[in-house]
Amino acid sequence: MSNATSPETEIASLGEETPPGQTMIELKDLTKRFPGQETPAVDRLNLEIPKGEIVVFVGPSGCGKTTSLKMINRIIEPSSGNIIMDGQDVTSIDPNQLRRRIGYVIQQIGLFPHIRVGDNVATVPNLLGWDRERTTARVDELLDVVGLPPDQYRERFPKELSGGQRQRVGVARALAADPPVLLMDEPFGAIDPITRTRLQNEFLRLQSELQKTICFVTHDIDEAIKMGDRIAILREGSRVAQFATPEEILTNPANEFVEDFVGTGATLKRLKLTRVREVEPTEALVGTVDEDRAELRRRFDESEWTAMLLLDEQRRPLQWLRGTDLRSSRPLTEVGLRARATVEEQATLSDALEEMLLGAAGVAIVVDRRGAYQGLLDVDDIITAIQTMRDATAEFYRAAKLVDPEAEAGA
């Protein structure tokens, strides 16, 4: 009997031995030359991607970021160079076996239109030969994780879903075989802005639990700042202009190319670095639909608040009620202003500010993943956060004996 291992056996343990924070993927002189082109699309790309982090590839159109991503799972074969995963060179492994161990999410989603949602999610487990019971349990688990109750969505066809729902199915399918590595090529680019923000926040919540190693391609620097633990800003040929944390790129761009690509408004961009959960929320005056109306009125009259937030039985925000609303004879759910401006705890302060500007009450209501009320954020909280960031930036430049570009611009 041969002692040789199959390609699938070679890659089955990817990610199991590498401690968090250590290099999970290393690209060494990775190069791609397409026939008929004088210059390489990717020219000797060198990058180390830590385990458990989201690394975002961002750069101008045509810089080779998608080509670089596709070479990692060898949808595009490298012309030269090496791809090291968990210490193993996978450049010569059977690419089909490799791809079954790497999740892949694309902008066009790519669901099979002729099969149901559950079968779409089960694609890779079926290829790996999982038994039906294990596959069904995994499909239901993941549909629930991405916010699509399996009893409602498992038997639907993709055409019966919204764009945001189809993208959630795409993420579930990519995670089905529990791959250690996930590749995402502009996954939220074809979705409307509101749904895009919600999906970004939901994905960040999932990542906080799953801790996958993720390579994420986008053309949007704001999305890169929000999503990335580290950002690789690429020039033509996928040459790395800067590879650093979002904070470092915003406060200390490596060169003029990076400065121009990031653009102006660094302070506001840094609101994407702070999560709602990092700010202590204000406690609002709240009441619930099952409370006595006279008791709600009494508490409102004794408070200094100009409105009360009405919650349902699960403590989800419903309405903003004024004194006249509480004294009305109409049902409480039919009066007042609908409580629209809600943000989850993993959302950014930039998301919260946008909700404040769009909402009628001038505040953002913080909720947990089930939509239950947690507190309020107002504009003063955002201003305080901005000032804290400015102070930290000024201190950084003082310590480094550099000129703070924002302070210089203000002067």
Side-chain angles (χ1 to χ4, degrees):
M1 181 180 294
S2 172
N3 291 324
T5 57
S6 69
E8 185 168 5
T9 303
E10 286 185 53
I11 61 172
S13 62
L14 282 180
E16 295 177 3
E17 302 298 329
T18 305
Q22 294 190 13
T23 300
M24 180 63 183
I25 303 172
E26 184 178 3
L27 308 179
K28 300 177 70 173
D29 290 329
L30 199 62
T31 300
K32 180 62 184 179
R33 295 182 179 86
F34 288 106
Q37 293 187 357
E38 293 184 5
T39 60
V42 177
D43 188 9
R44 299 189 301 276
L45 175 61
N46 289 278
L47 210 59
E48 293 186 7
I49 298 170
K51 182 182 180 183
E53 292 192 6
I54 301 177
V55 170
V56 180
F57 295 0
V58 64
S61 297
C63 71
K65 51 189 181 291
T66 292
T67 301
S68 299
L69 187 80
K70 288 181 176 180
M71 283 195 286
I72 293 176
N73 66 354
R74 293 172 57 205
I75 289 178
I76 294 177
E77 288 288 353
S79 301
S80 61
N82 300 91
I83 305 160
I84 312 297
M85 287 193 183
D86 197 21
Q88 301 173 339
D89 190 338
V90 299
T91 313
S92 58
I93 286 177
D94 178 0
N96 290 322
Q97 298 293 349
L98 175 65
R99 290 176 203 134
R100 292 174 190 176
R101 299 296 301 166
I102 299 176
Y104 191 47
V105 185
I106 59 176
Q107 178 175 333
Q108 296 81 10
I109 307 168
L111 300 182
F112 301 116
H114 61 288
I115 63 176
R116 300 179 191 274
V117 164
D119 294 325
N120 264 285
V121 177
T123 300
V124 176
N126 287 337
L127 288 172
L128 293 175
W130 289 19
D131 62 62
R132 178 174 297 182
E133 183 178 353
R134 181 186 179 193
T135 300
T136 299
R138 181 62 173 166
V139 167
D140 287 358
E141 175 192 6
L142 283 171
L143 288 177
D144 186 61
V145 162
V146 299
L148 299 174
D151 290 344
Q152 297 179 37
Y153 291 93
R154 187 194 310 112
E155 300 302 319
R156 294 188 186 183
F157 286 95
K159 67 181 181 181
E160 300 176 83
L161 307 182
S162 68
Q165 289 169 338
R166 289 196 295 271
Q167 194 61 274
R168 288 171 185 264
V169 175
V171 171
R173 184 176 65 180
L175 294 171
D178 197 21
V181 174
L182 199 62
L183 308 181
M184 307 185 77
D185 189 3
E186 300 204 43
F188 310 129
I191 301 171
D192 66 89
I194 293 175
T195 304
R196 184 184 194 189
T197 296
R198 290 174 179 167
L199 284 177
Q200 288 171 340
N201 293 338
E202 182 69 10
F203 186 78
L204 288 171
R205 181 192 64 77
L206 286 176
Q207 172 63 358
S208 69
E209 299 174 3
L210 301 176
Q211 296 294 296
K212 299 295 182 183
T213 303
I214 299 171
C215 298
F216 188 112
V217 163
T218 182
H219 66 277
D220 184 348
I221 186 61
D222 290 331
E223 182 172 56
I225 290 166
K226 176 176 180 176
M227 301 298 293
D229 294 301
R230 300 173 200 265
I231 299 173
I233 297 183
L234 304 178
R235 309 180 70 146
E236 184 180 356
S238 280
R239 295 184 178 90
V240 179
Q242 187 169 8
F243 182 49
T245 65
E247 178 78 15
E248 184 176 349
I249 285 172
L250 288 175
T251 58
N252 191 27
N255 49 54
E256 187 175 345
F257 177 86
V258 175
E259 286 184 15
D260 290 343
F261 191 81
V262 171
T264 59
T267 297
L268 289 178
K269 284 182 170 65
R270 290 177 69 191
L271 288 177
K272 296 180 181 294
L273 301 178
T274 305
R275 306 292 168 189
V276 168
R277 62 175 176 265
E278 298 170 31
V279 179
E280 186 69 30
T282 301
E283 186 60 44
L285 176 65
V286 300
T288 58
V289 291
D290 54 3
E291 286 188 85
D292 179 72
R293 192 167 191 146
E295 170 61 18
L296 295 179
R297 227 172 15 241
R298 181 193 65 78
R299 287 198 284 115
F300 177 82
D301 291 339
E302 292 178 356
S303 78
E304 296 181 355
W305 284 81
T306 58
M308 171 182 281
L309 181 60
L310 183 68
L311 310 176
D312 68 11
E313 295 88 344
Q314 284 77 47
R315 294 187 61 77
R316 295 174 298 195
L318 291 175
Q319 311 284 122
W320 283 107
L321 303 175
R322 297 159 297 182
T324 54
D325 301 320
L326 290 166
R327 288 186 285 273
S328 168
S329 60
R330 296 171 61 191
L332 292 178
T333 54
E334 296 179 6
V335 295
L337 294 171
R338 184 178 172 187
R340 296 177 180 273
T342 59
V343 291
E344 293 190 15
E345 294 167 304
Q346 71 272 9
T348 66
L349 291 189
S350 179
D351 297 330
L353 179 59
E354 186 172 352
E355 290 293 335
M356 290 177 200
L357 296 175
L358 294 175
V363 296
I365 306 168
V366 182
V367 297
D368 64 18
R369 63 171 299 197
R370 294 175 177 81
Y373 164 80
Q374 302 294 306
L376 297 181
L377 290 180
D378 60 22
V379 173
D380 286 342
D381 296 317
I382 303 296
I383 293 172
T384 299
I386 289 174
Q387 189 57 54
T388 299
M389 287 182 234
R390 282 179 171 169
D391 292 345
T393 300
E395 180 58 34
F396 167 82
Y397 279 96
R398 279 196 297 271
K401 297 182 179 180
L402 298 171
V403 177
D404 182 351
E406 289 192 12
E408 187 177 44

